[in-house]
């Protein structure tokens, strides 16, 4: 459990929440994957891939999906175990001759990431590559979820691979039904309905703040032991909670957050508060 220090009402409760690295965490697993793919794809196949979607690009998208989909329950770092990779019809046709082998190697890559991150799957990871006619060439869309294993998966589990004890997905998701949200300065309420929420100026964030004072990737809010923790990602203009500079902090209902001067308020149960007002 994170250790917090006592604080008066209206101030931030500080916590030792260690943020997993967001850069470089997949170096070893990615390098192994690249080496295997190079050995698997040679000659004419490699020539066909030139200028098209590369397997390593898919791997990097998977790493991001794994990072965004992780949550903590029963003191374990749980990772998504069900992945659907959507690619364009043209890229799907190019991958077709070795698609099944690629799917197997991507699953092995996910297991390598899990080992490096210290995370666990609630069931053996599974992955499928499908075509999406709405995607342009070289675009990848990944859907990553926590999914209960089917009976066939339970029977096929390799005893040498470590997974968590049986844990229903419904229990993992319970903590995400708290109606917690951020209320922005324009009174918009944005639900915190994912284990990891990224905030920043870049369009790939979950909450995009179009303000020059905000860094491209400014902060993250993570669900940790059923509480929401705010992390500053070495932003240029810093992050404050209730006027105090923070690097990581457990959020409390009513905390006033400022990302480089862009203000918002954290509410642990905004909908209930509004109904009871």
């Amino acid at each position: 459990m994170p250790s917090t220090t006592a604080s008066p009402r209206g101030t931030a409760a500080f916590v030792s929440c260690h943020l997993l690295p967001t850069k470089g965490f997949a170096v070893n697993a990615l390098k192994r994957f690249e080496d295997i793919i190079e050995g698997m794809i040679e000659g004419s196949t490699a020539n066909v891939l030139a200028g098209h979607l590369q397997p390593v690009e898919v791997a990097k998208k998977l790493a991001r999906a794994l990072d965004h989909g992780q949550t903590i329950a029963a003191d374990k770092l749980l990772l998504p175990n069900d992945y659907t990779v959507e690619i364009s019809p043209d890229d799907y046709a190019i991958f077709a001759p070795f698609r099944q082998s690629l799917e197997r190697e991507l699953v092995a890559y996910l297991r390598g990431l899990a080992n490096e991150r210290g995370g666990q799957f609630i069931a053996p990871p599974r992955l499928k590559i499908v075509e999406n006619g709405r995607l342009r060439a070289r675009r990848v869309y990944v859907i990553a979820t926590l999914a209960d294993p089917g009976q066939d998966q339970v029977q096929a589990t390799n005893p040498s691979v470590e997974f968590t004890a049986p844990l229903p997905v419904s229990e993992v998701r319970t903590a995400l039904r708290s109606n917690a949200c951020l209320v922005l300065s324009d009174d918009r309420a944005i639900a915190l309905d994912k284990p990891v929420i990224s905030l920043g100026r870049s369009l790939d964030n979950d909450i995009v703040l179009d303000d020059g004072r905000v860094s491209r990737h400014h902060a993250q809010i993570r669900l940790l032991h059923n509480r929401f923790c705010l992390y500053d990602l070495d932003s240029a203009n810093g992050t404050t909670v209730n006027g105090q500079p923070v690097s990581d902090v457990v959020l409390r209902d009513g905390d006033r957050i400022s990302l480089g001067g862009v203000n918002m308020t954290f509410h642990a149960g905004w909908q209930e508060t509004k109904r009871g007002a």
Side-chain angles (χ1 to χ4, degrees):
M1 292 290 290
S3 58
T4 60
T5 58
S7 58
R9 186 174 181 80
T11 62
F14 291 91
V15 64
S16 177
C17 298
H18 297 292
L19 178 64
L20 293 173
T22 56
K23 295 182 179 179
F25 68 86
V27 171
N28 292 334
L30 186 61
K31 183 63 169 63
R32 288 194 294 271
F33 176 77
E34 288 180 305
D35 291 343
I36 290 172
I37 293 300
E38 284 181 7
M40 186 175 73
I41 301 174
E42 298 177 342
S44 59
T45 302
N47 293 333
V48 170
L49 278 175
H52 294 277
L53 179 66
Q54 301 296 309
V56 69
E57 296 178 75
V58 177
K60 290 178 180 179
K61 287 284 188 178
L62 281 172
R64 186 173 182 83
L66 179 143
D67 181 46
H68 277 217
Q70 67 184 358
T71 189
I72 291 181
D75 293 329
K76 298 180 184 294
L77 177 64
L78 301 182
L79 307 174
N81 62 299
D82 191 275
Y83 297 82
T84 300
V85 179
E86 298 183 354
I87 59 178
S88 74
D90 288 345
D91 290 325
Y92 186 84
I94 291 173
F95 281 4
F98 57 91
R99 178 179 55 81
Q100 292 183 339
S101 296
L102 178 59
E103 288 174 340
R104 286 194 296 270
E105 294 305 332
L106 287 170
V107 167
Y109 167 69
L110 288 169
R111 287 177 172 148
L113 282 181
N115 289 335
E116 292 180 6
R117 300 295 296 277
Q120 295 180 324
F121 300 109
I122 64 172
R126 56 193 179 192
L127 178 147
K128 60 182 177 181
I129 299 174
V130 301
E131 61 179 309
N132 183 337
R134 293 174 297 177
L135 291 179
R136 299 197 304 260
R138 300 199 72 166
R139 294 299 180 96
V140 181
Y141 183 72
V142 177
I143 302 170
T145 60
L146 286 162
D148 284 319
Q151 188 61 34
D152 56 335
Q153 274 193 299
V154 173
Q155 294 174 349
T157 299
N158 184 342
S160 66
V161 179
E162 184 173 331
F163 303 100
T164 65
L167 182 63
V169 171
S170 59
E171 292 184 18
V172 177
R173 292 177 176 153
T174 297
L176 299 177
R177 298 172 181 165
S178 63
N179 297 312
C181 74
L182 290 178
V183 178
L184 305 185
S185 58
D186 59 4
D187 291 330
R188 283 185 298 142
I190 300 178
L192 302 180
D193 55 0
K194 294 171 58 181
V196 180
I197 303 286
S198 59
L199 304 93
R201 200 174 71 250
S202 176
L203 293 178
D204 61 356
N205 289 287
D206 298 297
I207 300 177
V208 178
L209 302 170
D210 187 16
D211 190 297
R213 295 170 293 177
V214 177
S215 295
R216 289 177 55 81
H217 299 95
H218 196 110
Q220 282 186 347
I221 294 177
R222 289 175 175 257
L223 183 65
L224 180 64
H225 301 292
N226 295 327
R227 302 184 72 179
F228 287 96
C229 293
L230 172 68
Y231 302 90
D232 179 83
L233 302 180
D234 294 325
S235 62
N237 292 324
T239 299
T240 67
V241 174
N242 300 323
Q244 301 183 47
V246 299
S247 57
D248 53 71
V249 63
V250 171
L251 293 173
R252 298 168 58 185
D253 187 47
D255 277 346
R256 302 182 306 279
I257 302 169
S258 177
L259 304 184
V262 175
N263 299 322
M264 60 200 72
T265 305
F266 170 76
H267 288 284
W270 184 75
Q271 293 179 14
E272 286 83 350
T273 301
K274 296 296 281 188
R275 284 198 294 268

